[in-house]
């Protein structure tokens, strides 16, 4: 594990101290957990984006596509 220094406004520091106390945790551990969760979310999003951009189609059409005018008849 690495130790780092974090600089924040006094009001933010007070808030995070209270949140950590409510959860029976330290500020350091709470911030570490939040950042790890953020990292997992970012990784999951990037993976989903790669999969979406790699998607080609469900398969070839068996005939011509339906004209736009037909789809939106009133």
């Amino acid at each position: 594990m690495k130790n780092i220094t974090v600089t924040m406004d006094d009001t933010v520091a007070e808030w995070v101290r209270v949140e950590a106390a409510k959860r029976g945790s330290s500020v350091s551990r709470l911030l570490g957990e939040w950042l790890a969760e953020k990292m997992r979310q970012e990784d999951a999003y990037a993976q989903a984006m790669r999969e979406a951009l790699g998607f080609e189609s469900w398969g070839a059409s068996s005939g011509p596509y339906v004209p736009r005018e037909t789809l939106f008849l009133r």
Side-chain angles (χ1 to χ4, degrees):
M1 288 211 180
K2 297 282 184 183
N3 290 323
I4 62 169
T5 300
V6 178
T7 303
M8 62 187 81
D9 290 334
D10 291 342
T11 55
V12 175
E14 183 60 30
W15 178 84
V16 76
R17 281 187 201 104
V18 170
E19 285 300 309
K22 286 180 188 175
R23 299 162 198 253
S25 180
S26 67
V27 169
S28 179
R29 184 170 301 276
L30 184 61
L31 290 176
E33 289 170 0
W34 284 347
L35 291 171
E37 178 60 27
K38 177 68 171 167
M39 182 184 70
R40 284 189 292 275
Q41 290 172 357
E42 293 286 326
D43 289 348
Y45 179 83
Q47 178 63 30
M49 182 63 76
R50 283 192 298 275
E51 290 173 8
L53 293 175
F55 179 77
E56 304 236 352
S57 76
W58 288 104
S61 173
S62 61
Y65 292 107
V66 177
R68 183 178 184 88
E69 298 77 29
T70 305
L71 289 174
F72 297 103
L73 286 177
R74 292 180 186 215

